């Protein structure tokens, strides 16, 4: 019954997993951090869990791992953000696998029989060991993260570095090796056993030229609350940053920055109604956005689209001056999630 809703195309999501598997030939660690990129773990994860292409899930922190167990995940759950003091009990109780990136994480795991993966920093400059990678019988996997997948030269340098670590580290032991995120899939890393993918599963392309044939899976819609004629000279919204230069028709849409419509779209973005662009007038506000609807047959209660399969979160984010990741994970709980 929400006034704004996110439609999740279940078939498209499952198909995307298949396409990623076909393209890479590797099992997938599905990245579902931050509530599955805002899409909603309780909707996405039950779709993914039964798929044989999916070997494990990855989240940012222990709390997110617990949430996954509580909704019935039985596959492995990786905690990308390591393990901090006070989290060991939960790791054991919920069978979560931390990715160790710091000597302090090792200290926390001392004397604990908990398997873990290790992150190597080959150029990300965020998490990961630069050298002195711990050798430990509990290590079940080794990963690195590409900082700039669009930059072939730098990425190849990271891959060569990682391969060097692998040769020294694993010898002939069996371990899962994972490097590629959605954009990184283009490298088809030959020595990796898994890919670690988020965005592409949700049907959003991380690169303009993307060789994996994924399909958009999300639509973001909101209802019209009011339609009226504004006379020439009348301002619109806070700060009066738009003033009607002639008589215009406007519609107030039940979506604002509290739902996840970025305020940077004020006076420059547009929404869609039956393939027609409705320009955003004035400031996007917390709960409402005003659009121009001259010549459009639209009435109170109609659904307007912010995102649809032809105008994806990638497109919306570009208009808003940000990235789809940020827009998606800011979709608020007020936006109703609907599986179709
Ligand atoms: C978020 C994240 C991913 C997934 O990235 P996508 O671009 O969404 O596929 C992979 N690895 C790490 C370490 C991450 O933090």
């Amino acid at each position: 019954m929400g006034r704004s809703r996110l439609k999740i195309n279940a078939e498209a999501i499952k198909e995307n997993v298949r396409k990623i598997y076909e393209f890479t030939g590797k099992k997938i660690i599905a990245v579902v951090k931050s509530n599955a990129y805002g899409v909603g773990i309780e909707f996405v994860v039950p779709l993914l869990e039964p798929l044989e292409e999916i070997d494990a899930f990855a989240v940012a922190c222990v709390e997110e791992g617990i949430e996954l167990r509580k909704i019935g995940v039985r596959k492995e759950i990786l905690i990308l953000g390591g393990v901090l003091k006070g989290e060991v009990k939960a790791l054991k109780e919920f069978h979560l696998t931390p990715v160790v990136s710091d000597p302090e994480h090792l200290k926390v795991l001392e004397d604990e029989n908990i398997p873990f993966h290790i992150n190597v920093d080959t150029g990300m400059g965020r998490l990961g060991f630069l050298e002195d990678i711990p050798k430990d019988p509990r290590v079940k996997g080794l990963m690195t993260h590409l900082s700039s997948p669009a930059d072939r030269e730098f990425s190849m340098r990271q891959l060569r570095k990682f391969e060097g670590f692998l040769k020294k580290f694993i010898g002939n032991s069996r371990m899962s090796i994972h490097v590629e995120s959605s954009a990184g899939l283009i490298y088809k890393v030959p020595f990796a056993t898994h890919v670690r993918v988020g965005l592409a599963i949700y049907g959003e392309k991380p690169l303009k030229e993307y060789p994996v044939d994924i399909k958009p899976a999300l639509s973001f819609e909101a209802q019209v609350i009011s339609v009226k004629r504004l006379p020439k000279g009348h301002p619109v919204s806070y700060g009066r940053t738009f003033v009607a230069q002639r008589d215009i028709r406007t519609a107030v849409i039940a979506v604002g920055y509290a739902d996840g419509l970025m305020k940077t779209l004020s006076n420059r973005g547009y929404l869609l109604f039956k393939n027609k662009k409705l320009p955003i007038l004035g400031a996007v506000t917390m709960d409402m956005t005003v659009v121009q609807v001259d010549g459009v047959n639209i009435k109170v209660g109609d659904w307007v689209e912010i995102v649809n399969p032809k105008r994806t979160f990638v497109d919306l984010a570009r208009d808003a001056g940000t990235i789809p990741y940020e827009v998606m994970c800011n979709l608020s709980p007020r936006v109703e999630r609907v599986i179709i």
Side-chain angles (χ1 to χ4, degrees):
M1 247 249 311
R3 288 180 170 199
S4 62
R5 64 189 179 198
L6 184 74
K7 284 192 192 158
I8 306 157
N9 182 337
E11 275 316 307
I13 286 185
K14 289 192 272 186
E15 185 63 20
N16 291 341
V17 168
R18 255 172 258 134
K19 294 283 183 185
I20 292 164
Y21 181 70
E22 271 169 30
F23 184 82
T24 63
K26 293 174 202 145
K27 291 283 181 85
I28 297 164
I29 300 168
V31 182
V32 295
K33 63 201 181 194
S34 188
N35 196 26
Y37 291 38
V39 180
I41 49 166
E42 68 271 47
F43 303 96
V44 171
V45 169
L47 295 175
L48 300 180
E49 168 88 358
L51 303 180
E52 55 182 302
E53 295 91 343
I54 301 221
D55 243 5
F57 291 92
V59 291
C61 58
V62 171
E63 285 71 19
E64 291 183 342
I66 295 171
E67 287 302 309
L68 289 193
R69 286 286 179 241
K70 286 188 173 161
I71 61 171
V73 169
R74 307 184 60 116
K75 288 180 174 167
E76 183 177 33
I77 299 174
L78 284 183
I79 311 297
L80 296 171
V83 54
L84 302 178
K85 238 189 220 162
E87 296 178 338
V88 171
K89 192 166 163 271
L91 284 186
K92 289 201 277 200
E93 185 178 347
F94 294 95
H95 296 281
L96 308 173
T97 309
V99 179
V100 165
S101 316
D102 191 288
E104 289 295 323
H105 304 166
L106 278 177
K107 217 187 260 173
V108 170
L109 295 178
E110 219 166 62
D111 304 323
E112 301 287 351
N113 184 23
I114 297 176
F116 57 87
H117 291 209
I118 290 214
N119 188 357
V120 184
D121 187 347
T122 56
M124 178 65 186
R126 191 176 63 178
L127 285 179
F129 291 91
L130 290 164
E131 48 204 31
D132 299 327
I133 300 172
K135 280 204 172 185
D136 190 303
R138 297 171 296 174
V139 178
K140 295 287 179 282
L142 215 54
M143 66 165 273
T144 193
H145 195 38
L146 301 177
S147 73
S148 324
D151 180 339
R152 177 160 288 271
E153 199 188 317
F154 188 76
S155 298
M156 293 311 289
R157 221 185 304 165
Q158 283 195 264
L159 293 177
R160 278 194 297 272
K161 219 174 191 178
F162 188 57
E163 201 178 4
F165 278 115
L166 285 182
K167 284 195 177 127
K168 272 195 290 182
F169 189 86
I170 54 171
N172 50 16
S173 65
R174 277 169 46 102
M175 254 188 226
S176 48
I177 309 290
H178 41 106
V179 178
E180 302 135 277
S181 60
S182 297
L185 294 184
I186 57 174
Y187 295 104
K188 298 199 164 191
V189 179
F191 48 80
T193 60
H194 291 75
V195 294
R196 213 173 47 238
V197 177
L199 195 72
I201 292 176
Y202 312 112
E204 299 287 326
K205 294 188 176 178
L207 300 168
K208 250 212 184 100
E209 304 286 326
Y210 197 55
V212 193
D213 182 26
I214 55 167
K215 299 258 170 330
L218 303 171
S219 298
F220 179 20
E221 308 177 340
Q223 273 181 301
V224 177
I225 308 174
S226 170
V227 179
K228 70 172 179 245
R229 196 190 61 83
L230 275 191
K232 180 180 173 186
H234 204 289
V236 174
S237 193
Y238 294 122
R240 309 193 312 277
T241 57
F242 179 88
V243 178
Q245 297 303 303
R246 53 181 172 80
D247 289 7
I248 57 172
R249 263 181 100 233
T250 60
V252 181
I253 315 301
V255 65
Y257 56 77
D259 301 281
L261 188 72
M262 313 304 265
K263 189 169 188 292
T264 50
L265 292 166
S266 301
N267 280 312
R268 61 187 186 124
Y270 63 88
L271 309 185
L272 290 156
F273 183 68
K274 295 182 175 164
N275 296 319
K276 280 205 187 94
K277 289 186 182 181
L278 313 178
I280 292 174
L281 305 182
V284 171
T285 70
M286 189 181 290
D287 315 306
M288 289 171 240
T289 299
V290 180
V291 292
Q292 189 162 356
V293 293
D294 283 311
V296 182
N297 185 10
I298 193 169
K299 56 185 189 308
V300 171
D302 281 342
W303 289 90
V304 162
E305 293 167 325
I306 302 120
V307 162
N308 68 25
K310 289 206 182 99
R311 202 266 190 133
T312 61
F313 278 103
V314 170
D315 302 319
L316 180 72
R318 195 182 306 114
D319 291 348
T322 181
I323 53 173
Y325 302 84
E326 191 190 16
V327 179
M328 290 168 65
C329 72
N330 277 309
L331 292 169
S332 82
R334 187 166 69 186
V335 180
E336 186 185 2
R337 271 70 170 172
V338 186
I339 281 271
I340 53 167

